[in-house]
Amino acid sequence: MKILHILDHSQPIISGYSSRSHYILKWQKKIGLNPIAITSPLYNRNQKTWEEIEGIEYYRTYLPIIFLKYPGCRELTTILALKQKIESIYQLEKPDIIHAHSPSLCGLAASLVAKKLKKPFVYEIRAFWEDAAVDQGKFTYDSYFYKIYQKLENEVVKRANAVITLCQGLRKELISRGFKHKKIFVIPNAVDLSQFNPLNKDNELAQRLNIGKNDIVLGFIGSFYRFEGLDLLVKAVAKIEKVKLILVGDGEKYEEIKKLVSELNLSSKVILTGRILHNEVKKYYSLMDIMVYPRLSEKITELVTPLKPLEAMALGKIVIGSDVGGIKEIIGEGENAGGVLFKAGSVDSLIDKLKLIISNPDLRSKLRKKAYQRAKERNWSKVIHNYLRIYATIR
């Protein structure tokens, strides 16, 4: 069975979105499906038309930058260009199912082609684009643009034969909008246990970063978005002794976090690496004892589960996160939880939980084991078969 995936972007761009996409395609291929992908023009700056990455074919859509520069024009031309690309690749590849992934621009273009060709159409939602745009300050929840994008999302969901979300929060939101629960499925974020497993400490890197044998190292790896709450983490570190913090990544809040570290005189305790090469990430993970995800309570963080905590759990790391819906769904609650939760937005609550973990070696050992066990339940070798079952229901 050949599946044509429509993506916003993909590797070699590094993001949670591109990582999940590539794992889906790789593991679909491993279980006997024939996946191929088309990416939107929004990230194609090198004018490539085709690329192969780890045996997966990616067809690229290109538009001159002038067409992507202005709001409205960018969205319309993206949809039209992507629709044309899907039609041309369909004639070449003759897929059995068209499977689009959010945002809704990809979904709408794919749905138009699927309807024209009378092919089954699957729509997979990673997050609601309009909620992310609010957090980035592009518009507000009561704005005209927010309502337009939400209507567009709803239209694509209505057109789909099956809808996939990556967590229960998104599924519940769609059901609250009046969509039938029978056509909405959850396929959670997962990890490849052959790629993510407990690591030996990289002593050379530790020495280079001036990390001592007795230091407890806190870590965060990801994008510096506002909703990540990294300022809370920096403020907490200022009040805890014998810890160091490594922040890997960059983004819209990088300079602000860098300034805060300077203002609090934490340059000896907080290491800001900036963006690093993908193949260097595990070296930094190897130094981190406790991974911290201090997300603020926003609509997007309550609904969407991040991928990074799950990867950290597979590496056998202690995980602590704020009690927003997306983090809770990954870590879990109660006796079988794979980590520790603190009150979102509260520096004091974060400090209390960190001190509890740091002062208790037995608890740290217990948390590492629970984290790894929970990650084992969510590995791609198990999760990927859910796609087969969904495809079977719509063929």
Side-chain angles (χ1 to χ4, degrees), residues 70-89:
Y70 303 103
C73 177
R74 177 177 61 239
E75 285 77 8
L76 180 59
T77 53
T78 294
I79 292 169
L80 294 176
L82 198 47
K83 175 179 176 290
Q84 185 178 39
K85 187 73 173 185
I86 297 168
E87 288 177 334
S88 66
I89 298 304

Side-chain angles (χ1 to χ4, degrees), residues 1-3 5 21-36 50 52-58 380 384-385 387-388 391:
M1 188 189 308
K2 185 175 285 189
I3 314 299
H5 292 268
S21 300
H22 196 63
Y23 278 124
I24 290 170
L25 273 63
K26 278 178 61 178
W27 280 92
Q28 284 192 351
K29 191 170 183 178
K30 285 184 180 183
I31 63 171
L33 295 174
N34 185 4
I36 53 175
W50 179 89
E52 184 175 313
I53 302 174
E54 292 188 281
I56 303 298
E57 291 187 280
Y58 288 92
W380 279 116
I384 200 67
H385 293 279
Y387 285 101
L388 277 175
Y391 293 155

Side-chain angles (χ1 to χ4, degrees), residues 81-100:
L82 198 47
K83 175 179 176 290
Q84 185 178 39
K85 187 73 173 185
I86 297 168
E87 288 177 334
S88 66
I89 298 304
Y90 176 85
Q91 295 304 322
L92 179 67
E93 297 283 358
K94 296 293 192 293
D96 300 290
I97 290 174
I98 297 176
H99 182 156

Side-chain angles (χ1 to χ4, degrees), residues 263-369:
E263 289 173 349
L264 296 176
N265 296 315
L266 294 175
S267 58
S268 63
K269 294 180 72 174
V270 179
I271 300 163
L272 285 156
T273 71
R275 185 182 292 272
I276 63 172
L277 295 174
H278 182 63
N279 59 7
E280 296 285 310
V281 171
K282 286 187 181 179
K283 292 182 180 181
Y284 286 86
Y285 261 129
S286 78
L287 305 183
M288 299 171 181
D289 301 298
I290 304 171
M291 303 300 301
V292 189
Y293 304 94
R295 287 191 158 190
L296 304 176
S297 180
E298 308 267 343
K299 187 175 180 182
I300 188 171
T301 59
E302 294 291 348
L303 293 180
V304 178
T305 55
L307 177 60
K308 292 298 182 186
L310 194 58
E311 292 178 349
M313 291 158 72
L315 293 169
K317 300 296 178 181
I318 298 165
V319 173
I320 177 169
S322 60
D323 61 352
V324 297
I327 297 285
K328 281 196 288 189
E329 194 169 327
I330 286 286
I331 291 178
E333 297 181 88
E335 188 63 27
N336 294 319
V340 175
L341 297 170
F342 72 94
K343 184 174 177 57
S346 171
V347 175
D348 290 338
S349 177
L350 175 55
I351 291 170
D352 289 344
K353 297 295 185 181
L354 284 170
K355 285 183 174 179
L356 174 66
I357 296 169
I358 291 167
S359 65
N360 193 330
D362 289 339
L363 177 60
R364 293 203 299 273
S365 178
K366 182 179 178 182
L367 287 171
R368 278 191 289 267
K369 290 176 183 176

Side-chain angles (χ1 to χ4, degrees), residues 102-265:
S102 56
S104 54
L105 301 183
C106 296
L108 186 59
S111 71
L112 292 170
V113 179
K115 183 178 180 180
K116 178 180 177 180
L117 300 174
K118 298 181 180 179
K119 284 293 176 181
F121 170 54
V122 175
Y123 184 45
E124 181 164 331
I125 300 175
R126 315 285 184 83
F128 296 124
W129 187 91
E130 61 269 23
D131 292 335
V134 169
D135 182 79
Q136 294 165 10
K138 293 180 179 179
F139 44 71
T140 60
Y141 285 113
D142 60 354
S143 69
Y144 173 78
F145 286 108
Y146 184 88
K147 293 172 184 176
I148 286 293
Y149 274 103
Q150 191 174 77
K151 285 183 178 180
L152 185 57
E153 192 80 70
N154 289 344
E155 179 62 27
V156 180
V157 172
K158 186 169 73 173
R159 291 168 177 241
N161 300 105
V163 177
I164 298 169
T165 69
L166 55 77
C167 60
Q168 290 293 341
L170 290 170
R171 183 175 187 270
K172 289 175 182 177
E173 170 66 18
L174 289 174
I175 292 171
S176 75
R177 296 183 187 183
F179 294 108
K180 294 180 179 180
H181 69 277
K182 290 183 179 180
K183 85 168 189 176
I184 305 171
F185 304 86
V186 174
I187 299 184
N189 272 326
V191 288
D192 184 344
L193 293 179
S194 68
Q195 299 294 319
F196 290 89
N197 45 60
L199 302 165
N200 293 321
K201 186 175 181 179
D202 190 311
N203 292 314
E204 183 180 339
L205 181 60
Q207 186 175 10
R208 179 149 50 92
L209 297 179
N210 196 30
I211 292 172
K213 291 182 179 180
N214 296 322
D215 287 330
I216 297 292
V217 181
L218 312 182
F220 173 88
I221 298 176
S223 299
F224 285 37
Y225 292 125
R226 188 190 67 82
F227 62 69
E228 295 293 1
L230 295 178
D231 57 325
L232 298 176
L233 178 53
V234 172
K235 290 173 184 176
V237 167
K239 297 183 179 181
I240 302 176
E241 296 180 355
K242 296 180 180 179
V243 299
K244 290 198 173 179
L245 170 63
I246 302 176
L247 298 173
V248 177
D250 64 6
E252 60 190 42
K253 291 295 176 180
Y254 181 85
E255 291 300 326
E256 188 176 309
I257 295 299
K258 185 178 179 180
K259 182 180 178 183
L260 180 62
V261 169
S262 177
E263 289 173 349
L264 296 176
N265 296 315

